[in-house]
Amino acid sequence: MKKAISILLTLGMTLSLAACGGADTTTGTTGTETKTSNKTGDTITMAIWDNNQLAGIQKIADEWSETSGVQVEIETLDWSTYWTMLEAGVSGGEMPDVFWMHSGYAKLYEDADVLLNLNDYIANDDAIDLNNYYDGIVKLYSQDGNQYAIPKDHDTIAVVYNKAVFDKYGVEYPTDDMSWQDFADKAQEISEKGKDDGVYGTYMNCGSNQSGWYNLIYAYGGKVISDDGTKSEMDSPETIKAMQFVVDEILPACPSQDAMANTGGDVMLVSGTVGMYLDGSWMVNSYYAADNKDDLAWVEIPYADLNENGQCDEGERVSIYNGLGWSIYKNSENQDAAWSLVSALTSKDGQMKQSEYGVTMAAYKGCSEAYANAFDGMDISAFLKVEENGTLAFRPYSKYTGRWEDNFTTFFIDVWNNPSLLESTMHDIADDMNSYLEKEQE
């Protein structure tokens, strides 16, 4: 436990992935809520951070409780409070039995020796075969041959647009065969025509990494981190080229950084303040609940027409993908019950239910089609089509992701306000990121 406290507290973690406008991966959480399954008997505790997923997860948990006789008490926290809770738990406070883990902090918590090694449970459970899950997510939650979380879901990125905005200004709707230049041109056209109304073409906050500029970096042949995870690639020519496109072609069609820092892109899109926006599959529930959901539609993420031949060639359409994991507290007094619940959630049957109930796409390969059909009247197939028509790049991570990624946001605030600072800032970002990567190798 001393090791855990040292790792977490000496970092002085702020535990916020996007300091200038809300966490990139957690929009839709509205506070703290606790629900308990109806079955009486023993109780295990669970913690998550997204209210959009609560109802479906509760339903699966209730079904498990009917057969196990064990209640599941689910606490839903906002993103920052969630990680503060885990940090306090590592330092001697209460910890949930079962909880979500994320790429931003997985390696840190694995090293902190607070996650249960699941190898023995996996070996003795016919329902769990790690070969059935997306490989990048399995690797994320493993270290030195030990598995510390079972993949919960996977996500991809697509473009959501407000048809009413495009109709009002006479701009053609986005399409699946749209390049990034096409995207930028449409965004700029809306911004020009909507100027007097305070309407903008798109939204890309400086903290919009996974659901924003990360995708362009990889589409343009760049990287955030080297393949072996030891060196920053933020100052590579390809990465700088991608970010130059962002500041030259996309930012002019966005609201001010101050406005984006105060209001999320989903809110601006639904309200008609922006015409289109990149967002993740985990956010579909939020859009589907909007009063004007019939005005909202999805298309595939654009491609980078690198050879300028007017078509999408291999490697030019890239979506970042990520996946949460279900972890169990190492010192839980209910380890067997906790594993039984995690197994129920991540087995093929549980993953099919997760998709059917509209929670998220599955981490279990071949189980996400039902998610695309879970939202009557809203076609969200773009999230699945990119897996056939494009390339998936796993969300970049290392042990200290939460630190260097936080700092990206801090650095980019100045760039978003003064794009001429981009190139020098990219080198500063790389130097800062390398300082953390070097610590990881000590």
Side-chain angles (χ1 to χ4, degrees), residues 134-208:
Y134 285 78
D135 187 56
I137 308 172
V138 173
K139 289 180 179 179
L140 168 64
Y141 300 118
S142 64
Q143 186 161 284
D144 299 327
N146 299 318
Q147 195 70 30
Y148 293 101
I150 305 299
K152 171 196 172 289
D153 55 35
H154 88 286
D155 50 54
T156 59
I157 308 300
V159 174
V160 58
Y161 65 97
N162 190 323
K163 291 183 285 187
V165 173
F166 281 80
D167 290 342
K168 180 176 181 179
Y169 298 110
V171 180
E172 291 186 3
Y173 293 160
T175 61
D176 285 339
D177 61 358
M178 180 171 59
S179 70
W180 277 114
Q181 188 61 62
D182 295 332
F183 177 94
D185 291 345
K186 289 180 183 295
Q188 290 175 24
E189 184 178 357
I190 288 175
S191 290
E192 291 168 4
K193 293 180 175 179
K195 182 178 180 179
D196 292 341
D197 300 324
V199 174
Y200 300 86
T202 190
Y203 176 112
M204 193 170 287
N205 194 344
C206 65
S208 299

Side-chain angles (χ1 to χ4, degrees), residues 127 227 251 306 364 377 392 400 428:
D227 291 339
L251 286 191
L306 299 179
Y364 198 109
L392 298 187
Y400 294 145
D428 292 341

Side-chain angles (χ1 to χ4, degrees), residues 73-85:
E73 184 177 285
I74 305 178
E75 184 174 22
T76 309
L77 303 167
D78 64 72
W79 171 262
S80 295
T81 304
Y82 180 90
W83 293 105
T84 301
M85 175 272 295

Side-chain angles (χ1 to χ4, degrees), residues 70-129:
V70 179
Q71 291 185 332
V72 183
E73 184 177 285
I74 305 178
E75 184 174 22
T76 309
L77 303 167
D78 64 72
W79 171 262
S80 295
T81 304
Y82 180 90
W83 293 105
T84 301
M85 175 272 295
L86 286 190
E87 183 183 358
V90 170
S91 304
E94 292 187 5
M95 285 281 286
D97 297 303
V98 176
F99 49 95
W100 285 352
M101 191 45 59
H102 184 277
S103 58
Y105 299 103
K107 295 305 177 187
L108 191 67
Y109 278 86
E110 288 164 14
D111 280 353
D113 197 32
V114 294
L115 307 181
L116 181 66
N117 181 350
L118 303 176
N119 283 11
D120 289 343
Y121 281 111
I122 294 169
N124 292 292
D125 192 333
D126 292 338
I128 305 299
D129 179 347

Side-chain angles (χ1 to χ4, degrees), residues 225-284:
I225 192 171
S226 61
D227 291 339
D228 63 4
T230 63
K231 181 179 180 295
S232 174
E233 295 285 347
M234 289 295 284
D235 58 351
S236 73
E238 296 84 2
T239 299
I240 292 175
K241 179 181 178 180
M243 293 305 297
Q244 193 70 58
F245 181 88
V246 170
V247 300
D248 288 348
E249 301 289 338
I250 294 180
L251 286 191
C254 294
S256 69
Q257 176 53 39
D258 286 345
M260 291 189 288
N262 291 317
T263 307
D266 55 333
V267 175
M268 287 194 180
L269 186 286
V270 171
S271 68
T273 304
V274 300
M276 56 183 172
Y277 174 56
L278 284 173
D279 214 343
S281 52
W282 65 89
M283 281 295 297
V284 173

